[in-house]
Amino acid sequence: MTSGVDLGVPATQAIRSDEDVVRVRQLVRTTAVATRLSLVDQTKLVTAASELARNTLIYGGGGSAEVTTVEDGRRRGVRIVFADQGPGIPDLDAAFTDGFTTGGGLGLGLSGARRLVDDFDIWTAVGEGTRITVTKWSR
């Protein structure tokens, strides 16, 4: 579960094309640098964001990423909310199993992204869409 106080106005990037996935990566990198995440943590967060943005595009039919700087009293971080109004994920347990894929990839998307961030929260409903919130905190 993610916690913390929003420090700034969220920046929202629509995800409708491969170019938008690149824009999400750039926005997340810029925000992570400004938040002073370590280079390793920047790389982890950008990698997770890239995978989740691609999932939003491919499986959710497009959506958005909202990037915000947050603070929990002792550290700062970057929170990203990915949202779509796609078909939803019918079997979350299967979707989090390494190797599971419905698209011919490596099947490391959700489980891999979850391992790369500090906080990971997901809401999904079949026929309504998916909302994933991730946070990476400074060390």
Side-chain angles (χ1 to χ4, degrees):
M1 183 63 144
T2 49
S3 61
V5 176
D6 290 344
L7 294 178
V9 176
T12 302
Q13 172 63 55
I15 302 171
R16 304 253 180 264
S17 67
D18 288 335
E19 291 79 16
D20 290 335
V21 173
V22 172
R23 288 183 188 98
V24 169
R25 288 176 58 95
Q26 292 167 338
L27 175 59
V28 169
R29 170 81 64 197
T30 300
T31 306
V33 168
T35 308
R36 300 186 182 196
L37 294 183
S38 71
L39 183 57
V40 170
D41 285 341
Q42 290 172 34
T43 302
K44 288 179 178 181
L45 183 60
V46 170
T47 301
S50 181
E51 182 60 38
L52 295 171
R54 186 151 304 287
N55 283 0
T56 299
L57 177 63
I58 294 171
Y59 302 111
S64 64
E66 182 181 280
V67 182
T68 311
T69 303
V70 292
E71 185 177 291
D72 73 354
R74 57 188 173 90
R75 59 191 177 168
R76 291 173 57 113
V78 177
R79 176 175 299 148
I80 313 165
V81 179
F82 296 90
D84 67 60
Q85 295 180 341
I89 303 170
D91 187 346
L92 268 180
D93 290 335
F96 278 103
T97 302
D98 284 345
F100 176 83
T101 181
T102 59
L106 295 176
L108 298 174
L110 288 179
S111 61
R114 181 170 59 180
R115 285 191 295 268
L116 291 169
V117 298
D118 298 313
D119 298 325
F120 187 103
D121 185 60
I122 186 168
W123 172 89
T124 188
V126 174
E128 294 182 37
T130 301
R131 180 182 175 98
I132 298 175
T133 304
V134 298
T135 306
K136 188 71 176 169
W137 296 103
S138 61
R139 304 277 167 233

